[in-house]
Amino acid sequence: MMPSAEDRKLLQASPEDIRPDAVVAADGSGTHRTITEAIESLSLKPDDSDGGGGRSVIYVKAGTYREYIKIPTKQKNVMLMGDGKGKSVIVGSRNSEDGWSTYQSATVANNSILTKMPKNRIFNL
């Protein structure tokens, strides 16, 4: 599937030109301290009444976030944006050896996409 013109503009924009819907910062300087809190706040937003869709952008400031991200199936068009490789990092260590299922061990997941990370690996934004 080809990205829409709106998506292409968003992907080509510099970070300074993107206005995020939520800002995550572990030190409390953003709108949320965790990525999960930011996703939950987006799910409270009313649906787009004109049917045009749109994308919700979560900016994750530099830091290490030890959490397991689950994007609800009904939450559409969520984009996570960080400060770069090795700067905005999501860390998880669940794995099948410790009794977690494949789905439960994903560091970032929704019902249609799984990002499976081996034990003690990182997800860079």
Side-chain angles (χ1 to χ4, degrees):
M1 183 168 96
M2 293 293 294
S4 68
E6 185 179 314
D7 284 342
R8 283 194 303 275
K9 276 175 126 178
L10 183 61
L11 292 169
Q12 293 171 350
S14 67
E16 298 81 30
D17 295 334
I18 298 173
R19 191 175 322 142
D21 298 290
V23 177
V24 179
D27 65 6
S29 64
T31 57
H32 302 86
R33 287 185 178 266
T34 69
I35 300 164
T36 299
E37 288 174 3
I39 291 170
E40 288 171 354
S41 77
L42 294 178
S43 65
L44 300 176
K45 287 174 47 175
D47 290 338
D48 185 11
S49 59
D50 67 4
R55 188 164 303 278
S56 298
V57 178
I58 299 173
Y59 168 50
V60 182
K61 288 188 172 186
T64 299
Y65 299 86
R66 297 182 191 286
E67 57 183 304
Y68 295 88
I69 313 305
K70 289 185 182 175
I71 300 172
T73 304
K74 292 182 181 181
Q75 183 71 45
K76 304 294 182 195
N77 297 321
V78 176
M79 176 178 161
L80 299 176
M81 179 179 85
D83 283 328
K85 185 176 180 180
K87 294 180 181 178
S88 298
V89 180
I90 304 170
V91 178
S93 62
R94 292 180 182 169
N95 64 78
S96 60
E97 292 172 11
D98 292 336
W100 296 98
S101 70
T102 298
Y103 183 77
Q104 293 170 323
S105 67
T107 303
V108 178
N110 73 20
N111 281 345
S112 59
I113 299 172
L114 294 177
T115 303
K116 179 79 168 71
M117 305 302 293
K119 188 173 185 176
N120 295 322
R121 294 301 171 101
I122 59 176
F123 186 84
N124 286 288
L125 296 176

